[in-house]
Amino acid sequence: MLNTIKNSLKNPEIRKRILYTLLLIVVFRLGCYIIVPGVNSAMLAEQLKNASGTLTGLINTISGGAFSKLSIFAMSITPYITASIILQLLAMIIPSLERVAKDGGEEGKQKMNKYTKVLTIVLATVEALGIYISYSKAYSNVFIDPGLKTGVIFVLSLVAGTSLLIWLGDQISNKGIGNGISMLIFVGIVSGLPSA
């Protein structure tokens, strides 16, 4: 097995793909530390210090620690996964969508991918709005200046972060190694292991 790995690393194309994937993983990990504007990070850490065994802790594990910091990648790629599942279920119910998915070939695959990304943006907006409302009601002083302006900036930041992660996943799939979305989920979970 080691010889196989050594031989594959001698190939410049494979080396280039591995380095590209590692670069995008570093970008993902750096983004997990960029806090959304308007969040009082010290107060947030105080409020969430006992959340390790809760649903918040689970979401935080999947997002690679980004959720507990309310970073731009706090939602990770969960809206994309949800959108993908919803479209797969709808393809079983709606005949025209089923034709696009099954008989469309490469063009149909691209259309389904486009539909998934549009639905992802809608779901990410709803989820980000829900996070903002729930955090502003459940935790006092998490937002420096709670209000409409902070809410809009918060929602836009989280939606942009999710969109960037989808783009990173696509880039890893196309120019790197492996499935990009799966790779980002894997890296997010593995990054939480040392603290666990």
Side-chain angles (χ1 to χ4, degrees), residues 2 10 24 33 71 115 143 163 167 192:
L2 279 162
K10 290 178 182 176
L24 294 183
Y33 293 96
S71 80
Y115 296 156
F143 297 105
S163 300
W167 182 81

Side-chain angles (χ1 to χ4, degrees), residues 50-192:
N50 296 322
S52 61
T54 63
L55 180 62
T56 304
L58 176 66
I59 295 169
N60 192 45
T61 301
I62 292 171
S63 69
F67 190 75
S68 66
K69 297 178 192 82
L70 281 183
S71 80
I72 59 171
F73 294 158
M75 292 192 304
S76 189
I77 52 166
T78 54
Y80 180 81
I81 295 168
T82 306
S84 178
I85 292 169
I86 288 171
L87 278 176
Q88 287 175 5
L89 292 173
L90 286 176
M92 290 188 242
I93 299 169
I94 302 170
S96 60
L97 201 56
E98 183 179 18
R99 279 192 300 277
V100 169
K102 289 186 178 179
D103 303 331
E106 189 61 35
E107 186 180 322
K109 191 176 180 181
Q110 287 176 352
K111 273 188 180 179
M112 289 300 287
N113 195 15
K114 181 181 171 186
Y115 296 156
T116 303
K117 288 178 180 174
V118 169
L119 185 57
T120 298
I121 299 301
V122 172
L123 292 174
T125 303
V126 171
E127 189 176 336
L129 190 59
I131 291 171
Y132 176 73
I133 291 170
S134 64
Y135 268 65
S136 59
K137 288 185 178 182
Y139 303 114
S140 59
N141 302 323
V142 168
F143 297 105
I144 295 169
D145 180 27
L148 181 63
K149 181 180 175 186
T150 302
V152 168
I153 291 171
F154 182 84
V155 169
L156 288 177
S157 297
L158 291 186
V159 171
T162 297
S163 300
L164 181 58
L165 285 179
I166 292 168
W167 182 81
L168 287 175
D170 284 346
Q171 295 305 306
I172 291 173
S173 295
N174 295 335
K175 299 176 185 173
I177 53 170
N179 181 320
I181 300 296
S182 299
M183 190 74 70
L184 293 177
I185 293 170
F186 173 74
V187 169
I189 292 172
V190 167
S191 68

